[in-house]
Amino acid sequence: VLATGARERPRSARLVPGTRPAGVLTTGQLQQAVHLHRQNVGRRAVIVGAERVSYSAVDTLRRAGAEVAAMVTDQPRHQTHPARHLGTRLRYGFPLVTDATVAELTGRGRLESVRLRHRDGRTAAVACDTVVFTGDWIPDHELARSAGIALDPGTRGPAADAEFRTGEPGVFAVGNLLHPVETADIAALDGRLAAGPVLRHLAGRPWTPGALPVRVEAPLLWVSPNRIAPDGPRPPRGRFTLRTTRFLTRPVLTVGQDGRTLHRGRLPRTVAPGRPFHLPADWIAGADAHGGPVRITVD
Ligand SMILES: Cc1cc2nc3c(=O)[nH]c(=O)nc-3n(C[C@H](O)[C@H](O)[C@H](O)COP(=O)(O)OP(=O)(O)OC[C@H]3O[C@@H](n4cnc5c(N)ncnc54)[C@H](O)[C@@H]3O)c2cc1C
């Protein structure tokens, strides 16, 4: 069973221009430095990202005695629970800069400032000695790739069916390797749900995983599970989990295959990047096992 998890894309993978000073971290690196190695992480930090893990980065920085100069997101608003956002802002009082990206890092030796570029073209430099790149997840798929296991183009983790079976006989995958990322309880629950299929495999059940791909189109980012068998079991809890790259207000989702609509329905709420939303799985019996990929689109 592959359970190698996911990590945040570091600065290098985000192609952020500028010098290469010290003080540039992901949340994972920050938490290791503070909690594991008790290292000094600087005095004034900019946090890039405004999702759940970004607020964990705030807590870790404050615990290490650093001030938060600003939190910056390319989205029009934060992507965590409103109470979490409000509580953190009231407690620490830093600005949230929306619709902006990091244009450049400057500093020799140690980071000196981060230049932000707003969507309208304006730029501003924020003095800081630390920047934490949060979110923007990539599965730790190196082990799966080196074994030649087919990856899903959306999650970038192994393509897997409702019973956690990959395309490689005898290899299951669970956790945030499959859905980058969900909270720890969801990742742990995968392990429990995979136990039955693993035991059945060990008892000699033939290896016939769902082979029909389920794909998403932009602005959707990924769907999990992303392989189905129309006559096979539904995904855990009878639903698919999805992610979007931008806020969608009560979107209408259409599931189609070869020009045929299998399901169409409006979600009852706004969905946010970095947070899960779900699609009922009761349409899968209507898909054609021998047809083209099933596609999930937004009107
Ligand atoms: C920085 C960070 C903070 C997070 N904070 C929270 C939080 O506050 N609350 C929450 O609910 N969730 C949080 N998450 C998300 C999620 O809960 C965790 O990622 C969770 O641990 C995922 O469990 P997992 O079993 O999928 O993977 P992990 O717990 O990450 O386990 C993966 C294991 O695989 C190992 N591994 C990876 N690649 C290889 C390889 N090639 N060969 C051998 N071993 C390998 C790793 O070393 C690791 O031990 C956070 C995630 C990160 C990265």
Side-chain angles (χ1 to χ4, degrees), residues 25-282:
L25 305 167
T26 60
T27 315
Q29 291 166 337
L30 171 73
Q31 291 182 339
Q32 289 217 348
V34 172
H35 300 305
L36 214 58
H37 306 297
R38 315 259 173 230
Q39 287 167 344
N40 178 3
V41 290
R43 290 163 43 163
R44 191 175 148 84
V46 166
I47 297 182
V48 183
E51 61 179 84
R52 181 192 295 260
V53 74
S54 321
Y55 291 77
S56 297
V58 173
D59 292 338
T60 307
L61 284 164
R62 295 297 301 167
R63 198 164 157 177
E67 170 196 356
V68 177
M71 180 180 268
V72 52
T73 173
D74 59 359
Q75 298 291 327
R77 50 193 188 272
H78 71 83
Q79 303 107 54
T80 192
H81 289 286
R84 173 72 160 130
H85 170 73
L86 199 64
T88 308
R89 287 285 299 281
L90 284 175
R91 197 155 170 215
Y92 302 128
F94 55 82
L96 172 67
V97 184
T98 56
D99 287 316
T101 53
V102 176
E104 187 183 12
L105 303 185
T106 61
R108 297 190 186 285
R110 183 83 195 188
L111 181 70
E112 287 167 12
S113 78
V114 168
R115 193 159 59 83
L116 304 180
R117 179 179 293 123
H118 193 266
R119 198 180 293 284
D120 66 12
R122 282 178 298 144
T123 64
V126 182
C128 59
D129 58 13
T130 304
V131 60
V132 186
F133 287 97
T134 70
D136 195 0
W137 303 94
I138 179 88
D140 272 314
H141 57 201
E142 287 71 17
L143 208 54
R145 282 182 65 177
S146 64
I149 292 172
L151 302 184
D152 176 70
T155 62
R156 312 281 307 277
D161 74 359
E163 294 187 283
F164 306 94
R165 291 174 294 185
T166 70
E168 182 67 24
V171 179
F172 293 79
V174 295
N176 281 337
L177 172 66
L178 291 185
H179 36 66
V181 300
E182 296 280 74
T183 49
D185 53 327
I186 302 290
L189 196 57
D190 278 3
R192 183 183 290 180
L193 292 168
V198 169
L199 286 173
R200 287 194 285 279
H201 169 66
L202 294 175
R205 178 196 191 196
W207 189 263
T208 52
L212 182 61
V214 182
R215 304 235 162 97
V216 292
E217 291 183 6
L220 301 178
L221 182 62
W222 57 250
V223 57
S224 176
N226 37 53
R227 291 287 185 278
I228 56 167
D231 58 353
R234 292 180 185 185
R237 296 174 290 278
R239 63 195 198 180
F240 292 83
T241 301
L242 295 97
R243 277 290 194 289
T244 173
T245 55
R246 60 176 168 82
F247 282 91
L248 300 170
T249 306
R250 302 182 66 233
V252 174
L253 296 187
T254 302
V255 183
Q257 183 187 29
D258 300 328
R260 202 161 54 91
T261 299
L262 303 175
H263 168 91
R264 188 175 158 80
R266 185 184 289 280
L267 296 182
R269 62 181 180 88
T270 294
V271 297
R275 286 172 67 179
F277 63 99
H278 304 286
L279 173 71
D282 39 18

Side-chain angles (χ1 to χ4, degrees), residues 2-22:
L2 289 171
T4 49
R7 62 176 183 272
E8 298 157 294
R9 282 193 179 81
R11 181 245 176 128
S12 54
R14 302 181 193 218
L15 305 177
V16 177
T19 56
R20 302 196 150 270

